Amino acid sequence: QVPLVESGGGSVQSGGSLRLSCQSSGYRYARGCMGWFRQVPGKRREGVAAIASDGTTNYADSVKGRFTISQENARTTIYLQMTDLQPADTAMYYCAANWPGPCTVEVGAKSGGGYWGQGTQVTVAS
């Protein structure tokens, strides 16, 4: 059973919006950190946004003011609302949970631990 399943990716024009969803087996992650990461082939994985169980959020500088991470109350689903998308945002987006260490995108991206989904592709055309 895949613990995390992403959806909502697609192709949009520059300036457009998308909303990603990550469905989880909620009870496993209720107390952990969850977040979104992205990766382009040949480049390092990049942290995008993270959210702790108390709702505290953490964002990469490149997406601040454009992306918003949120969770539903039972933490079975987290979302990433992406606005003003740019070609540089093109990547495979992954949902992750319960990586070891602080609930920050930097730690999550370096860790690679915890649970990870299969990813959903986001493509932004100029």
Side-chain angles (χ1 to χ4, degrees):
Q1 180 181 0
V2 177
L4 298 170
V5 180
E6 304 94 336
S7 62
S11 297
V12 297
Q13 294 294 315
S14 181
S17 298
L18 283 172
R19 187 194 197 204
L20 305 184
S21 299
C22 173
Q23 183 75 36
S24 72
S25 302
Y27 74 93
R28 297 185 185 181
Y29 315 113
R31 298 182 180 180
C33 185
M34 299 184 74
W36 291 96
F37 300 81
R38 65 188 183 188
Q39 191 166 23
V40 175
K43 294 190 176 182
R44 288 184 178 182
R45 177 172 49 223
E46 176 187 15
V48 176
I51 187 164
S53 57
D54 65 358
T56 302
T57 58
N58 178 254
Y59 294 94
D61 288 342
S62 59
V63 306
K64 283 181 181 177
R66 300 188 298 122
F67 291 11
T68 302
I69 189 171
S70 61
Q71 61 190 3
E72 57 121 24
N73 288 339
R75 299 201 92 209
T76 57
T77 305
I78 65 168
Y79 305 96
L80 185 68
Q81 179 68 49
M82 305 185 293
T83 63
D84 191 24
L85 282 161
Q86 301 300 316
D89 296 315
T90 295
M92 184 71 79
Y93 282 71
Y94 298 91
C95 175
N98 283 15
W99 58 85
C103 190
T104 67
V105 292
E106 291 83 3
V107 171
K110 291 179 181 178
S111 166
Y115 298 94
W116 290 77
Q118 297 298 305
T120 185
Q121 178 68 36
V122 172
T123 302
V124 184
S126 58

